[in-house]
Amino acid sequence: MIAPRRTRLLRTPDLQAFQRTLVDLLGVCDPWVARQTLVLVPTTAAAAHLRRTLEQALTESRANANAWTMPHLLTREGWYRAMHERLSDAPILLTALERQVCMLAAARHTVQANVVPPFRLRAGLAQSFLQFYDELRSQRQTVDAFERLLTEDLGPSVDLDRGARRLLRQTRFLAATFRTYERRLAEAGSFDEHGLRAYLGDAPATGFERVVVTLPDHVADAAGLWPADYDLLSRLPGLKQIDVVATESVLSAGFHERLVERLPGINVHTVGDRSSQRPSLIGPSDDCSYFVWRDREEELRAVIRSVKGLGRGTSVTRHTTLSNSASTVSAQVGVVYQRPLPYLYLARQLFDQAGVPFESRDTLPLASEPYAAALDLVCEFALSGFDRSSTVALLGSPHFSFSPDAEILRLSTVECLDRALREVRFSSGHLELAGLASVWTRRDHGSDKQRPETRQITVAVGLASELHPLENEGPVHAMLELLGGFLSRYSTFCDDTQAVGEREQRARTAILRGIDDLASAHRQLDRSHTSFSNVVSILRRWLETQTFQPTPGGGGVQLLDPYAAAYGIFDELTIVGVVDHEWPDLVGRNIFYPSFLLRPLGWPSEQDRYRSARAAFFDLLALPRRRVSISTFSFEDDAIVLPSSLLEDLADAGLEAVRTDVDPDMVVTPDDALSRGLDTSYHPDEPTASWVAARVQHAGRSDSSFHGMVGPRRPTTYAVKALDDYLECPFKFFANHVLRLGDEPADEQRADPQRRGLFLHGVLKAFFRVWQDEGHLAITVSTFDRAVTRFHRIAEAELSTLPVLDRAVMRSWILGSAAAASLAERLLLWEVGRPAELIERKLEIRLDADYVLTGDGGCRTVKLRGVADRVDLFSNGTFRVVDYKANRAPDRKRTLQLPLYARCLEQELTRRDGRQWRAMDVAYAAFGEPRLHRPLSRTEIGNRLAADERRAVVVVDAIEHGEYPVRPAELFGCNFCAYPTVCRKNYVGDK
């Protein structure tokens, strides 16, 4: 029997009156009534701000001189948990994690029963299934009603529309999955919130006699109440009074009609007057009521300038130096965002630099914590089959200690292992890793000291042995228990007495506890076998949905979302990030069905959501007591974003527009000071202070140092290939050959172009050496077949030295196949087609001496070095230079290699023989092109060598003058550059 109760709707004109009404309702409660009073709020952050507002209001009014007891401030989920805890002998209420496991098990069982969906079933879809099921049941719809309505709507179109057939299959699958899920809950003797609602109708009173609803329904608020929640309120045993508090604007947006429908007989009372403390709307000018900044970082800098300008009067002087002293925030200042990220990350940097305290109760993604990346390293180690990159990454992680003395492996020893594994071309495999460790151990046997890579590979083999069971299918809970034990056993000690250590320890504890909870849920609800890749998918999906609460801070500027802001008291309020797709932050569309199919089931329209979001936004504008400002930005990750359409209706807010009194050029962070060339003492350490001094003294963008001028350099020996690097991009030459940053070698599972080229050079060198030793020089028509046979025999011998994984690919490339001729046939046919009286063939001639080059300004001596692959000497005093390329020949405009080889060889051979030698031909034998070489006439050869000789002198002069601008020969090449992190791409094209 439902007890009689009083239900009231308290209409307030604005949020300030909304808060005063809550103070009147909750501030006069005696302890007994307070413990039986429940206040429903949208989020835990909103509960914290409401608690602070109540305490501040009661302290200022001193209305209650006696001890005051706080009522229960709970979210919707907290309300259900509290009701369940007050029941005796009730079934177990499953957690959200356990429900996901149960839903996934139900979906798999449905597929096994030959009810197959029109999509591939993945572990990550369990959360989407559960969300749709919750929305369906919260709309007071049953699974049978869902299947019947969708079948009736889709049935007539099945024969003509393939999309309708897919949706009908999907409907049958979802309905069967939901029924299996409900049956599994009943068999396990537990229930979810929907089962709890049905159970509470016949249960004794839960102890709550009064409920104050401060949030609207789910249409107006993503965290609001659903029709099933209002139904529960109307029949909850022991509940005597329901008070719904809402602003007029939210009620006028459609909430009032929906509330009257869901709580029939509700009494409407208008309480409070519109506040006389209407805030001023601060804008950059008289014609614009909102600020437009470049990005989110500039938005927060503007907030800091506003905070530092409080109390300074209308005239704020511009800072010429940066002070590192902390600021105090006397006024109650709030910054409201729709999405916490990346504002929370930026605030920790900018507010700390500016010395402005701030506080936030919003949570951060647990997946962004460093220990989550450490977990991913372990998973990748097992998923990859213990390959080289994952092994090295795991051993080098500071989050684990694998050495016997419980110390972190030194990075230098891990690098030794990385180099050693690269040299032997190790791919992956537990047995292969163990075999390699055995070989290295025997190699070091008898030596005085074991090599670093041997010690580290021994550790890696032990870790692979522990995780080796994960390569086979097994129960999910067993795999998770193995993974959790591995993490707990090898995690490094974390000093939780420091702020960073304490945060890392809490994140680590949250992740390990989550793995244990996930294992426990699967042990109880789903013992099916699967692969570890599916387990990792489940684990990552869970991790992506978890949040982490860092230390909230100790006061100052309040950073919060609009749900929490409605419960706080503020003097100054800044609404940031007012861009399209964030304000209003509409709920995403259902991934299973279009909205018109869900409308009969109770799903709201986009128009109703927009009206409610617009009303909440304008309520927020009138919340502060003094001033409110709005800002938007233009770029997000260098992509243009559009301002919100809500900004077009700011005139409807009825607020007085006032021009800002804060200087936009006020210096508040070290970045501001450095960008303006101002003096700053922010960095105390000597190396950084020296850099800051140099940065402050720069002459600006027009200075030549900003465009690659580093000053004269002493002449040195230049590698011919390095001059080609300068032609490709002068800054690339600077990064590689001056800064010597190096280039990370590619980690390829198969032979990359560089390895293929080295192998090809070795085979050709061996062939021509053997061919000459047998008394042959030129290759003619009569010796062609013998040369091909000899080449194949030598190539087979060289191929036997390659790793097994590379042999088949390299054999097909070198020796050809049924679809393509071998490289030997192409090269030897080219030799036959260029008859000449060959007297000597030199292989891999090393050049390293002073050579005379002729430029526009005359002759100069340059030290050059290089290796010419092949030089053919002819009886008429000419020679040909041949260079082998595994792929295509370089563009002649971006290479000086062969012309310089020709000039250097002319001088080198003349000094050796005492006779004049002249280059007749320079050729790239490019095996990746249709034609190996396109010959030039003697006139073209002479002109080309002379022109390239002059270009080489220009390049050497530029290098010695210190000219290294960012000037790529092709902008497309920047996508593959090895030095993107040190390159000033924004100066590309500057002269």
Side-chain angles (χ1 to χ4, degrees), residues 169-229:
R169 284 180 56 198
Q170 177 179 275
T171 301
R172 291 169 178 165
F173 168 77
L174 290 176
T177 299
F178 295 159
R179 292 191 184 98
T180 305
Y181 165 78
E182 293 174 345
R183 184 174 65 253
R184 281 177 170 264
L185 290 185
E187 293 173 352
S190 56
F191 52 35
D192 53 12
E193 67 173 55
H194 313 294
L196 177 61
R197 280 196 298 266
Y199 184 86
L200 288 171
D202 301 326
T206 58
F208 292 125
E209 295 185 357
R210 182 188 185 195
V211 173
V212 179
V213 182
T214 68
L215 70 166
D217 62 357
H218 70 287
V219 179
D221 191 331
L225 300 183
W226 293 76
D229 301 324

Side-chain angles (χ1 to χ4, degrees), residues 138-165:
S138 296
Q139 297 279 9
R140 300 184 64 187
Q141 298 289 343
T142 64
V143 176
D144 292 339
F146 155 70
E147 184 177 23
R148 184 182 66 256
L149 289 174
L150 268 296
T151 301
E152 291 176 355
D153 288 341
L154 296 171
S157 305
V158 166
D159 295 334
L160 302 176
D161 190 346
R162 183 176 60 180
R165 289 195 297 272

Side-chain angles (χ1 to χ4, degrees), residues 664-675:
D665 294 324
M666 181 190 299
V667 179
V668 293
T669 64
D671 292 342
D672 283 345
L674 292 176
S675 64

Side-chain angles (χ1 to χ4, degrees), residues 286-334:
D286 296 334
D287 299 330
C288 187
S289 301
Y290 58 91
F291 296 88
V292 180
W293 304 105
R294 184 189 186 280
D295 49 31
R296 299 182 195 265
E297 184 174 344
E298 287 298 323
E299 282 188 301
L300 290 187
R301 281 203 180 95
V303 172
I304 296 173
R305 294 188 184 101
S306 178
V307 171
K308 286 183 172 288
L310 290 176
R312 298 181 183 224
T314 57
S315 177
V316 179
T317 59
R318 180 180 302 184
H319 291 192
T320 57
T321 60
L322 176 66
S323 173
N324 196 28
S325 59
S327 302
T328 58
V329 183
S330 57
Q332 293 173 300
V333 181

Side-chain angles (χ1 to χ4, degrees), residues 56 150 189 210 276 287 477 669 771 826 838 882 962:
Q56 179 178 339
L150 268 296
R210 182 188 185 195
S276 59
D287 299 330
H477 67 88
T669 64
W771 185 253
R826 296 189 62 196
L838 182 66
V882 179

Side-chain angles (χ1 to χ4, degrees), residues 508-711:
R508 180 184 301 181
T509 302
I511 290 176
L512 293 178
R513 184 183 298 117
I515 294 176
D516 291 341
D517 293 343
L518 197 57
S520 176
H522 277 277
R523 188 187 309 109
Q524 297 175 11
L525 302 170
D526 182 16
R527 288 180 169 267
S528 60
H529 288 220
T530 187
S531 64
F532 184 62
S533 60
N534 289 332
V535 175
V536 173
S537 176
I538 295 172
L539 185 58
R540 287 174 175 169
R541 186 70 176 181
W542 166 83
L543 193 61
E544 291 171 358
T545 61
Q546 301 305 300
T547 56
F548 176 74
Q549 174 65 63
T551 304
V557 178
Q558 300 291 315
L559 275 65
L560 66 172
D561 57 38
Y563 305 118
Y567 297 87
I569 298 176
F570 301 100
D571 297 318
E572 307 271 343
L573 195 68
T574 301
I575 305 175
V576 296
V578 187
V579 295
D580 195 20
H581 300 302
E582 290 192 23
W583 294 84
D585 187 20
L586 300 179
V587 179
R589 295 182 178 180
N590 189 279
I591 67 171
F592 297 112
Y593 298 98
S595 57
F596 73 90
L597 286 178
L598 297 175
R599 195 70 50 78
L601 293 170
W603 261 255
S605 64
E606 294 296 328
Q607 182 180 2
D608 291 339
R609 294 185 187 276
Y610 180 81
R611 290 173 55 199
S612 301
R614 184 178 184 277
F617 176 78
F618 284 99
D619 271 345
L620 199 60
L621 292 180
L623 173 61
R625 294 181 288 196
R626 289 176 50 192
R627 307 195 307 180
V628 63
S629 61
I630 307 170
S631 71
T632 182
F633 56 88
S634 302
F635 294 95
E636 180 82 277
D637 295 332
D638 293 331
I640 299 176
V641 294
L642 300 177
S644 170
S645 59
L646 295 174
L647 298 176
E648 301 174 1
D649 303 327
L650 288 180
D652 298 341
L655 302 179
E656 179 186 2
V658 178
R659 186 174 182 176
T660 180
D661 57 357
V662 177
D663 188 352
D665 294 324
M666 181 190 299
V667 179
V668 293
T669 64
D671 292 342
D672 283 345
L674 292 176
S675 64
R676 290 171 171 81
L678 304 179
D679 187 19
T680 174
S681 58
Y682 179 75
H683 301 287
D685 58 296
E686 181 58 33
T688 308
S690 301
W691 178 87
V692 169
R695 180 68 175 82
V696 168
Q697 294 172 5
H698 77 81
R701 182 181 173 122
S702 60
D703 188 70
S704 60
S705 62
F706 265 67
H707 305 281
M709 295 296 296
V710 300

